[in-house]
Amino acid sequence: MAIEGTTEVREKRIRLGMVGGGSGAFIGAVHRMAARLDDHFELVAGALSSTPEKAKASGAELGLDPSRSYSDFREMAIREAKLKNGIEAVAIVTPNHVHYEAAKEFLKRGIHVICDKPLTSTLSDAKKLKKLADESDALFVLTHNYTGYPMVRQARSMVANGDIGAVRLVQMEYPQDWLTENIEQSGQKQAAWRTDPTKSGAGGSTGDIGTHAYNLGAFVSGLELEELAADLDSFVKGRALDDNAHVMMRFKERDGQRAKGLLWCSQVAPGHENGLMVRVYGTKGGLEWTQKDPNYLWYTPFGEPKRLITRAGAGSGPSAARVSRIPSGHPEGYLEGFANIYTEAARAIFARRKGEAVDPAVIYPTIDDGMKGMVFVDACVQSSKRNGAWVKV
């Protein structure tokens, strides 16, 4: 990955394990591709499924040593911690309800954790996990992968530099259409667990994609949420969790402004596949980024024509350049953004290996970002139960 003005020394690959992500699992394959892209990790162990036969078969497919292919993550954590060349980090890519127990086993043994979002399935588990992470010497990385896109980093930098003035408005959207019908009843695996409160948690669309939109808005704007009012719906008959949410937000005062936010997330919006976007408006201008055109950022200084900033192109700064790999005009997207989170994690782990401080330029979502997401979901659910009442966070 290109980093402006620096030359990275190749470090010995980080020994990586994985919990979940067996044969046919979407997000597990994404994590493995992301970890491989910049060649900083080597997958050497896994508890890829809780079903022993599937765990063994999945490990064989990935070329794992059979003795390091486990059917239980506790056994994996205990054994790997004792091995001379045991894993240094673990990727947790299971359904939400497994995150806490799995992360706990590795954190308490000093193994770095790279966990898929949301943090856990319940706020109480999230609080316990934060305490463990704060007390552990291991790093905790949450894969809010959209923060890895170069032009998202560019937008964040421009807001921080005051290019749009004091922030007044933040608009976040993440519409999808894949749950427009009750496909969870057909046996579709992804739909089945994501709409099951015992596995997904209290939030449906809010937890699955609303947390992404909220995290993106907060990441770019730099604002802290103070209170929200939410209207959650389960439009599909018989669905236990929300499949659509409208959320109004009030942020903490900053730069003399008390910014407002509006978030819409939906999984029942026909015509939308993954329509993630963020708009931020300030006293001097506005910014707009959409995932469907991730290499472009629209910047509008007040009273002037809109300006298009392209990844690695004119107007793009060092914050975007350090997470770009190829020249402008060649598109980078979802996998590269995901890989940037893994590479930032690798830089932090390399620093820990040498007993050095992590470079301040290294940015990755932490346990605190995960906690904010869980508090957001809990507040949305509580507000909606009270007919959209304002809830402090």
Side-chain angles (χ1 to χ4, degrees), residues 13 66-67 86 165 170 189 192 227 235 253 286 313 347 349 361 386:
R13 293 185 187 93
S67 69
V170 184
K189 185 177 179 180
E227 56 186 344
F235 280 112
E253 184 176 328
R347 290 176 179 136
I349 294 170
R386 293 163 52 191

Side-chain angles (χ1 to χ4, degrees), residues 86-368:
I87 60 171
E88 299 170 85
V90 63
I92 298 174
V93 296
T94 64
N96 307 343
H97 70 294
V98 182
H99 290 184
Y100 167 65
E101 291 293 343
K104 178 178 71 173
E105 294 297 327
F106 293 93
L107 282 174
K108 69 183 185 182
R109 293 175 173 85
I111 295 170
H112 306 298
V113 171
I114 302 171
C115 184
D116 204 45
K117 49 61 58 191
L119 185 60
T120 55
S121 60
T122 68
L123 184 56
S124 61
D125 278 351
K127 290 176 180 177
K128 289 185 286 185
L129 187 55
K130 175 172 167 52
K131 186 174 186 295
L132 284 168
D134 288 346
E135 294 171 350
S136 174
D137 291 331
L139 296 169
F140 191 99
V141 180
L142 193 72
T143 53
H144 269 302
N145 53 298
Y146 302 110
T147 64
Y149 279 90
M151 300 317 289
V152 168
R153 299 285 180 99
Q154 173 72 22
R156 173 187 170 94
S157 177
M158 292 177 70
V159 172
N161 290 339
D163 291 351
I164 65 168
V167 176
R168 288 172 169 167
L169 304 168
V170 184
Q171 185 172 345
M172 301 143 278
E173 290 186 7
Y174 201 155
Q176 300 174 331
D177 66 3
W178 72 293
L179 292 179
T180 295
E181 296 180 337
N182 195 346
I183 61 172
E184 57 264 38
Q185 297 300 319
S186 71
Q188 211 272 15
K189 185 177 179 180
Q190 289 292 323
W193 78 258
R194 291 177 192 274
T195 57
D196 182 349
T198 66
K199 294 182 172 64
S200 185
S205 67
T206 47
D208 193 18
I209 56 177
T211 49
H212 270 311
Y214 166 55
N215 174 261
L216 182 63
F219 181 80
V220 171
S221 70
L223 297 175
E224 292 281 340
L225 182 62
E226 186 168 55
E227 56 186 344
L228 62 76
D231 185 18
L232 276 53
D233 286 288
S234 301
F235 280 112
V236 174
K237 186 176 181 180
R239 183 165 288 161
L241 295 175
D242 64 272
D243 49 30
N244 188 88
H246 295 93
V247 187
M248 294 189 295
M249 300 178 179
R250 294 170 179 163
F251 294 98
K252 294 180 181 178
E253 184 176 328
R254 195 183 72 177
D255 299 328
Q257 293 287 330
R258 183 176 167 84
K260 302 293 181 69
L262 185 63
L263 184 149
W264 171 48
C265 63
S266 181
Q267 293 175 314
V268 293
H272 289 283
E273 294 170 339
N274 278 283
L276 179 63
M277 59 77 65
V278 62
R279 298 186 183 105
V280 184
Y281 302 102
T283 55
K284 297 180 181 178
L287 295 167
E288 180 178 346
W289 179 84
T290 63
Q291 190 193 203
K292 65 181 180 181
D293 289 314
N295 294 276
Y296 305 115
L297 175 67
W298 285 102
Y299 167 46
T300 308
F302 177 65
E304 299 181 25
K306 292 180 71 171
R307 303 173 185 178
L308 180 62
I309 303 174
T310 63
R311 186 197 55 76
S316 178
S319 60
R322 69 179 298 279
V323 290
S324 293
R325 295 170 178 78
I326 52 180
S328 59
H330 298 288
E332 291 189 10
Y334 180 79
L335 290 176
E336 290 87 350
F338 220 115
N340 284 338
I341 302 301
Y342 265 88
T343 294
E344 296 282 60
R347 290 176 179 136
I349 294 170
F350 291 148
R352 286 292 184 91
R353 276 182 177 177
K354 295 180 283 190
E356 298 176 355
V358 179
D359 185 341
V362 171
I363 301 173
Y364 57 82
T366 66
I367 190 80
D368 291 322

Side-chain angles (χ1 to χ4, degrees), residues 123 202-203 206 228 373-384 391:
L123 184 56
T206 47
L228 62 76
M374 294 303 299
V375 169
F376 164 79
V377 172
D378 183 72
C380 285
V381 172
Q382 296 307 317
S383 172
S384 191
V391 172

